[in-house]
């Protein structure tokens, strides 16, 4: 780990970017989660102040780029009070040039949004008053047995009650759902989707349950107390999800993301388009095109470093191969695909030839295809994109196209 005062990548004047703020606290640990968080809130006050200070320390890194999106992720950002969130929003506006109407997203758990409040206003009205205009609600499932098996903090009724209230105040809402849960029938998964769509939300993020090393879920499967993952079941759920979402008017614009027109996540889309972004908080990542960095994944070390006016991050300079591989990975996951013209112009003919040669067998298997149709081309260029059959396998396919 290198402890730096921050870095200022050159050659990126103007333009637009985003800020991600990591809130590393949760009420309890979900069995499948490997993100950085703590279930102790003892250091919360210190950490909030450190986040605000890191925003100030790193204000020169984006070289005067306009901030278009602010994203509170975690962890569980909805554990923060309105005053704490206001402090962080104010710190962004104080230190950065922010567009007139930025997308400001807050990840939230249903139980936090339904907490008893002394004030006359709802939590949703308070959020809107400080500029939050998009909610990402971690539902995961509308069934009690699923939630208990994942050790979620909320129950099924709270999930539904939260959405009943949230949709009265927010138009821009996304909910998270998990599929591929062992022994979940297709009928049960279909009911999950029916309930989700019944609330009229305009965005859905859905992920297959995966086993990350050193998580509780990993331990349970190794001990035989939880059934192993079933890839065929996950594929069945995924295909049904795509079909149902399409029927409801959603655009499958990224492998795990479905949005109605005009409701795509601006923040996440900027990631996939390779725009620079600044990651604030312990474990948060930043990206500048030719350079990436990540903060230490330890709350105490993070707070101590920031208090000493040092950014506790590791910085990595990306080679041309790294940048090519990153573009291929993100591009294939989206409807915008991988521009063959961009590959040749930014990386060279050698990379284009490698991409075409590596992609050929997947094109023959109808997992990839090259298109220049009006719906997917950009500036008249050809794009390499995944077929519907290839979407579920996209990460593995992309890795086979990498330049090693």
């Amino acid at each position: 780990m290198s402890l730096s005062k921050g870095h200022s990548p050159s050659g990126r004047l103007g333009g637009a970017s985003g800020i991600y703020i990591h809130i590393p606290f949760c009420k309890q640990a979900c069995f499948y989660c490997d993100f950085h968080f703590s279930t102790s809130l003892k250091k919360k006050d210190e950490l909030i102040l450190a986040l605000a200070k890191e925003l100030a320390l790193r204000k020169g890194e984006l070289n005067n780029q306009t901030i278009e999106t602010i994203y509170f992720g975690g962890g569980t950002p909805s554990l923060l009070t309105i005053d704490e969130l206001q402090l962080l929003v104010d710190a962004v506006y104080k230190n950065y040039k922010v567009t007139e109407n930025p997308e400001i997203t807050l990840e939230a758990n249903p139980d936090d949004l339904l907490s008893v409040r002394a004030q006359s206003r709802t939590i949703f009205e308070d959020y809107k008053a400080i500029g939050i205009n998009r909610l990402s609600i971690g539902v995961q499932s509308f069934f009690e047995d699923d939630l208990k098996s994942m050790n979620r903090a909320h129950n099924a009724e709270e999930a539904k009650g939260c959405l009943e209230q949230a949709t009265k105040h927010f138009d821009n809402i996304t909910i998270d759902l998990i599929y591929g849960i062992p022994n979940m029938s297709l009928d049960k998964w279909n009911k999950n989707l029916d309930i989700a769509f019944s609330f009229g939300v305009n965005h859905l993020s859905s992920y297959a349950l995966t086993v990350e090393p050193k998580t509780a879920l990993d331990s349970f499967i190794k001990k035989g107390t939880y059934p192993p993952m079933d890839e065929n079941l996950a594929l069945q759920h995924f295909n049904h999800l795509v079909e149902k979402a399409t029927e409801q008017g959603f655009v499958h614009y990224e492998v795990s993301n479905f949005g109605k027109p005009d409701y795509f996540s601006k923040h996440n889309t900027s990631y996939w388009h390779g725009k620079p972004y600044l990651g604030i908080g312990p474990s948060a990542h930043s990206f500048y095109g030719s350079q990436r960095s990540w903060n230490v994944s330890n709350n105490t070390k993070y707070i101590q470093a920031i208090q000493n006016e040092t950014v506790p991050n590791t910085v990595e300079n990306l080679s041309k191969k790294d940048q090519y591989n990153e573009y291929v990975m993100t591009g294939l996951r989206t409807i915008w695909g991988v521009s063959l013209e961009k590959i040749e112009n930014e990386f060279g003919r050698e990379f284009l030839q490698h991409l075409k040669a590596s992609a050929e067998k997947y094109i023959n298997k109808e997992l990839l295809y090259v298109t220049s149709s009006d719906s997917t081309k950009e500036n008249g260029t050809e794009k390499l994109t995944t077929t519907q059959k290839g979407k579920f396998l996209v990460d593995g396919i992309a890795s086979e196209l990498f330049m090693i």
Side-chain angles (χ1 to χ4, degrees):
M1 180 181 71
S2 65
L3 297 180
S4 70
K5 290 282 187 181
H7 52 285
S8 298
S10 60
R12 285 189 171 274
L13 298 176
S17 55
I19 292 178
Y20 171 86
I21 302 175
H22 188 74
I23 309 300
F25 300 108
C26 289
K27 288 179 180 177
Q28 60 194 51
C30 299
F31 290 148
Y32 56 83
C33 182
D34 70 338
F35 292 156
H36 170 67
F37 65 92
S38 171
T39 54
S40 170
L41 302 182
K42 290 180 181 179
K43 294 183 181 293
K44 184 161 76 84
D45 291 347
E46 287 181 279
L47 194 129
I48 298 301
L49 293 176
L51 293 173
K53 188 166 185 177
E54 187 187 359
L55 283 163
L57 287 173
R58 302 181 70 181
K59 62 184 179 182
E61 291 188 29
L62 292 176
N63 287 341
N64 206 35
Q65 295 218 10
T66 300
I67 302 302
E68 289 187 329
T69 63
I70 303 168
Y71 193 103
F72 289 97
T76 311
S78 52
L79 287 177
L80 270 58
T81 66
I82 293 297
D83 288 342
E84 288 167 340
L85 290 167
Q86 179 77 73
L87 174 71
L88 296 173
V89 171
D90 288 347
V92 173
Y93 274 86
K94 179 180 178 180
N95 293 288
Y96 300 84
K97 183 172 65 176
V98 182
T99 191
E100 185 176 347
N101 186 32
E103 176 190 86
I104 306 181
T105 302
L106 179 87
E107 289 185 352
N109 279 353
D111 49 308
D112 295 328
L113 299 180
L114 289 177
S115 297
V116 177
R117 294 170 57 76
Q119 297 94 326
S120 58
R121 295 201 308 190
T122 67
I123 188 69
F124 306 104
E125 290 169 305
D126 284 345
Y127 284 153
K128 293 180 78 170
I130 65 170
I132 292 168
N133 50 30
R134 184 173 184 269
L135 293 178
S136 176
I137 303 177
V139 171
Q140 313 312 348
S141 175
F142 290 101
F143 290 91
E144 202 66 38
D145 58 334
D146 294 336
L147 297 172
K148 287 181 178 178
S149 74
M150 292 185 275
N151 200 39
R152 294 291 295 172
H154 67 278
N155 60 43
E157 287 308 309
E158 286 173 327
K160 296 172 186 175
C162 164
L163 286 171
E164 286 177 3
Q165 294 301 314
T167 51
K168 293 177 182 178
H169 299 278
F170 276 80
D171 180 47
N172 200 351
I173 294 175
T174 181
I175 64 174
D176 287 352
L177 288 179
I178 291 179
Y179 62 87
I181 298 172
N183 302 325
M184 176 188 276
S185 67
L186 184 60
D187 180 62
K188 186 179 183 182
W189 175 234
N190 183 62
K191 288 178 180 176
N192 253 320
L193 294 175
D194 282 343
I195 295 170
F197 294 139
S198 72
F199 288 101
V201 295
N202 291 308
H203 193 282
L204 175 68
S205 295
S206 194
Y207 308 90
L209 182 64
T210 56
V211 185
E212 301 297 341
K214 300 180 180 179
T215 58
L217 180 59
D218 183 32
S219 175
F220 296 156
I221 292 175
K222 288 176 179 176
K223 291 177 181 177
T225 59
Y226 193 90
M229 298 300 106
D230 183 341
E231 188 170 319
N232 289 329
L233 177 68
L235 175 59
Q236 188 180 25
H237 287 177
F238 176 76
N239 287 336
H240 187 68
L241 163 66
V242 173
E243 181 181 345
K244 290 276 289 189
T246 301
E247 289 175 358
Q248 294 289 326
F250 287 78
V251 178
H252 190 194
Y253 71 105
E254 194 269 345
V255 169
S256 302
N257 287 273
F258 303 78
K260 296 282 184 71
D262 299 323
Y263 287 93
F264 296 179
S265 168
K266 293 179 182 178
H267 186 84
N268 290 339
T269 297
S270 71
Y271 290 168
W272 303 322
H273 282 174
K275 291 185 178 181
Y277 58 87
L278 192 63
I280 301 296
S283 81
H285 285 233
S286 302
F287 176 74
Y288 307 100
S290 62
Q291 197 176 72
R292 70 161 65 94
S293 69
W294 53 95
N295 287 353
V296 63
S297 297
N298 181 291
N299 290 358
T300 300
K301 291 181 179 178
Y302 169 79
I303 291 169
Q304 290 174 345
I306 295 297
Q307 288 175 343
N308 291 324
E309 301 196 353
T310 300
V311 179
N313 62 0
T314 300
V315 180
E316 178 186 11
N317 291 312
L318 301 178
S319 67
K320 185 175 285 190
K321 287 183 180 179
D322 293 331
Q323 294 175 58
Y324 162 85
N325 293 343
E326 186 129 359
Y327 175 54
V328 168
M329 173 62 80
T330 55
L332 286 182
R333 289 184 62 89
T334 71
I335 58 172
W336 301 287
V338 176
S339 165
L340 301 188
E341 181 180 60
K342 178 175 179 176
I343 293 291
E344 183 172 20
N345 290 344
E346 295 190 11
F347 301 102
R349 189 144 194 85
E350 177 190 357
F351 284 82
L352 179 62
Q353 291 173 341
H354 170 81
L355 178 64
K356 286 183 173 180
S358 302
E360 186 174 357
K361 68 177 180 179
Y362 296 105
I363 292 173
N364 293 336
K365 292 179 180 179
E366 298 183 341
L367 299 173
L368 296 176
Y369 69 106
V370 176
T371 178
S372 57
S373 68
D374 290 338
S375 62
T376 55
K377 72 181 181 179
E378 182 178 301
N379 300 324
T381 67
E382 290 183 313
K383 296 293 185 72
L384 180 68
T385 59
T386 53
T387 64
Q388 178 55 41
K389 188 167 68 170
K391 282 183 170 65
F392 187 72
L393 305 170
V394 66
D395 289 346
I397 295 171
S399 67
E400 292 295 315
L401 308 185
F402 286 173
M403 182 76 83
I404 306 301

